[in-house]
Each structure stands twice: as structure tokens, then as C-alpha cells.
């Protein structure tokens, strides 16, 4: 992987894992699904307006697919979290979604030789997370059902990453980001409406949330789409481990809690395995040209 791609990926993980501190300063109180829907609507409007100055894409079918799979990738985690809330603990959800790189390896191995050698760092990465993040398995039947649903959601996230890797080769960056944000805005908005997650719409709050969408979500989304096009799916899926690692490290620096040796061991294992997974290479260029399973 080229150095600039790896540097951009590192920047993406650091920014994604540390935005919670900025959110805490502004004390955002909107429900997560409403924030996802509103922010992505703002991002879509901004990018669509900017895209008017550029040539319009010709692959409209691919653009629609980007919107659909972008909704899965961007709004999927929040939809799963909202549904499982109260039944599956928040920290357990992070660990469960950390299995996504393992699922990505398994899916990718069906079409690309040599991918299974990357299963070990993927398993070690999620194992490291489990050492540092408290995991409380649900005791109710509903909780067990939602835990299974989150595992299925992780599989969908893995598949979405693979599909987008191919789709984004056919769509310009700005239009791809606009389409993905449009799909996420629709999914988040519908989720908030169906779940009754509404909030006060004061002028100050709306302006703060819109400002967040412009200043934070738009650059992160553009960087994410750029990385999705340039990093093969298994490598980019390592963000499901590396972003929580950054979040935990930043929380430790801010709150300075006591961290036992198992916690530091888990963080070290997760970070090292995530970096190995993210910097690893897939199959050869010839194999990439032959893989057609994910293009259709």
C-alpha cells in the first residue's frame, strides 16, 4: 500500500476515533439516528451543489447502488445500535462489530486466493478488543436475538465494503460521496421516524448540527470514499478495530482511569493486529482482474 494511502487511513482512524471529544464539548443531545439522518442530508446537499460544477456521472445504475450500499455502511451501525439498545450493551456492540474484518476475510476468500492468511490478524484484532472492552452477553431471548442480528449486520457491513470497492471504481469521488450520504440520510431519517427518536429543533441546535455536518462529517466522508476506492476491502475493514482503539486511547488520556495489564495487552494486540491487517496486501493484480463475483 502506498505511503500516502496508509497516512490517509491513519488520519481517518484518528479523526473518527477522537470526534467524541469535540461532540462532548458542544453537548449534542439529538438521538443518534436523527443526527445521522440530518448530518448526511446536509452533506448530500453540500456535495450535490458542488457536483453541479462537474460533469455528471454516466453510470446512474452504479450511483444508485452506491447509495444503497452506502446506506448500509454509514447508517447500518447506528440502526443496529438503536435496535439493540437496552438488550445488548454498548461496549458489547463495539466488540461484535469488531468481527467485521473477520467476516470480510471470509467473504473475500471466496473469490480471491491467499486471503485466508489474513484471518489470523483479524481474529487477534477482535480478541484484543475483547480483552480491553467489557463484554456482557445478553441473558434474555430478545437480547440473544439482537446479538445474532448484529452478527448478521456485521456480515452486511463486510459485504457492503466489498461491493463498494468495485462500484466506486466507476463513479467520480464527489458524486459517489453525495450518493452514499443520500442513502444514509434516508436510512437514518426513516429509522429515527419509525423509532420515534425526535428532538427539539431550536435554531441554535439546528445550526450546530448543520455545522457539524459541514465541518466534520463532510471531510470524513470524502476521505472515507477516497480510501474505499484505493484500499482493498480487507485492509479498510480494519477500521472497525483501529477506530475503537483510538477512541479508547483518547478516553484514557482525557479521563486517566486505571488500566490493568490485561487492558494494555488487549490494546496492544488490537492495535498491532489492526495495523498488520490494514497494511497487508490482497491478491495479485491478475487475480483482481479475474474477480467478478462482487461486481454484479
Amino acid at each position: 500500500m502506498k505511503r500516502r494511502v496508509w497516512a490517509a487511513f491513519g488520519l481517518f482512524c484518528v479523526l473518527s476515533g477522537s470526534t467524541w471529544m469535540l461532540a462532548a464539548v458542544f453537548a449534542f443531545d439529538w438521538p443518534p439516528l436523527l443526527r445521522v439522518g440530518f448530518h448526511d442530508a446536509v452533506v448530500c446537499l453540500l456535495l450535490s451543489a458542488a457536483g453541479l460544477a462537474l460533469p455528471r456521472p454516466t453510470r446512474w445504475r452504479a450511483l444508485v447502488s452506491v447509495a444503497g450500499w452506502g446506506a448500509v455502511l454509514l447508517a447500518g451501525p447506528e440502526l443496529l445500535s438503536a435496535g439493540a439498545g437496552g438488550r445488548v450493551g454498548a461496549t458489547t456492540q463495539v466488540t461484535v462489530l469488531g468481527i467485521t474484518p473477520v467476516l470480510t476475510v471470509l467473504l473475500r476468500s471466496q473469490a480471491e486466493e491467499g486471503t485466508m492468511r489474513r484471518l489470523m490478524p483479524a481474529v487477534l484484532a477482535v480478541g484484543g478488543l475483547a480483552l480491553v472492552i467489557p463484554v456482557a452477553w445478553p441473558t434474555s431471548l430478545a437480547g440473544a436475538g439482537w446479538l445474532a442480528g448484529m452478527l448478521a449486520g456485521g456480515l452486511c457491513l463486510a459485504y457492503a465494503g466489498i461491493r463498494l470497492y468495485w462500484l466506486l471504481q466507476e463513479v467520480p469521488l464527489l458524486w459517489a460521496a453525495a450518493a452514499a450520504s443520500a442513502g444514509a440520510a434516508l436510512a437514518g431519517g426513516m429509522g429515527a421516524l419509525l423509532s420515534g427518536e425526535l428532538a427539539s429543533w431550536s435554531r441554535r441546535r439546528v445550526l450546530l448540527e448543520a455545522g457539524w455536518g459541514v465541518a466534520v462529517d463532510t471531510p470524513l466522508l470524502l476521505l472515507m470514499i477516497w480510501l474505499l476506492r484505493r484500499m482493498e476491502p480487507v485492509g479498510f475493514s480494519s477500521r472497525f478495530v483501529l477506530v475503537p482503539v483510538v477512541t479508547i486511547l483518547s478516553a484514557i488520556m482525557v479521563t486517566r482511569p486505571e488500566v490493568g495489564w490485561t487492558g494494555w495487552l488487549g490494546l496492544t494486540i488490537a492495535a498491532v493486529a489492526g495495523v498488520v491487517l490494514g497494511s497487508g496486501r490482497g491478491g495479485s493484480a491478475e487475480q483482481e482482474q479475474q474477480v467478478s463475483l462482487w461486481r454484479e
Side-chain angles (χ1 to χ4, degrees), residues 17-21 245-256:
S18 57
T19 52
W20 69 271
M21 293 185 288
V245 167
V246 173
T247 301
I248 295 169
L249 288 175
S250 60
I252 291 174
M253 289 188 293
V254 172
T255 61
R256 297 187 179 279

Side-chain angles (χ1 to χ4, degrees), residues 111 113 166 284-295:
E113 295 181 5
W166 294 111
S284 65
E286 293 181 358
Q287 289 175 333
E288 289 288 339
Q289 294 295 326
Q290 293 172 358
V291 175
S292 60
L293 175 62
W294 311 107
R295 295 188 186 217

Side-chain angles (χ1 to χ4, degrees), residues 62-269:
L63 200 63
V64 172
S65 296
V66 168
W69 291 113
V72 173
L73 207 61
L74 298 176
E78 289 296 347
L79 288 170
L80 290 170
S81 179
R87 301 176 181 87
V88 180
T91 55
T92 304
Q93 293 177 27
V94 174
T95 305
V96 172
L97 290 182
I99 299 176
T100 302
V102 177
L103 300 175
T104 305
V105 170
L106 295 176
L107 285 175
R108 191 70 168 152
S109 67
Q110 303 303 307
E112 181 184 345
E113 295 181 5
T115 304
M116 284 300 292
R117 70 178 183 271
R118 304 175 70 184
L119 183 62
M120 182 59 71
V123 172
L124 286 174
V126 69
L129 277 185
L131 280 176
V132 69
I133 297 178
V135 176
W137 302 113
T139 57
S140 66
L141 184 60
W146 272 106
L147 182 64
M150 293 204 70
L151 288 172
L155 186 64
C156 292
L157 290 172
Y159 187 78
I162 295 173
R163 288 290 293 127
L164 283 170
Y165 173 70
W166 294 111
L167 289 167
L168 292 175
Q169 311 304 319
E170 307 174 11
V171 181
L173 173 66
L174 200 62
W175 284 105
S181 60
L186 181 60
M190 289 296 296
L193 184 63
L194 292 175
S195 63
E197 289 192 354
L198 303 178
S200 60
W201 289 74
S202 65
R203 181 179 179 181
R204 177 179 178 277
R205 182 58 62 194
V206 170
L207 289 176
L208 278 176
E209 296 287 356
W212 183 278
V214 172
V216 178
D217 286 343
T218 299
L220 278 177
L221 177 61
L222 288 171
L223 183 56
M224 181 180 184
I225 297 298
W226 187 84
L227 288 168
L228 274 167
R229 298 172 69 181
R230 284 162 174 78
M231 290 183 69
E232 45 82 34
V234 173
F236 193 58
S237 71
S238 63
R239 73 191 185 280
F240 286 100
V241 172
L242 294 176
V243 171
V245 167
V246 173
T247 301
I248 295 169
L249 288 175
S250 60
I252 291 174
M253 289 188 293
V254 172
T255 61
R256 297 187 179 279
E258 290 188 9
V259 182
W261 69 269
T262 55
W264 288 116
L265 177 63
L267 280 174
T268 302
I269 292 174

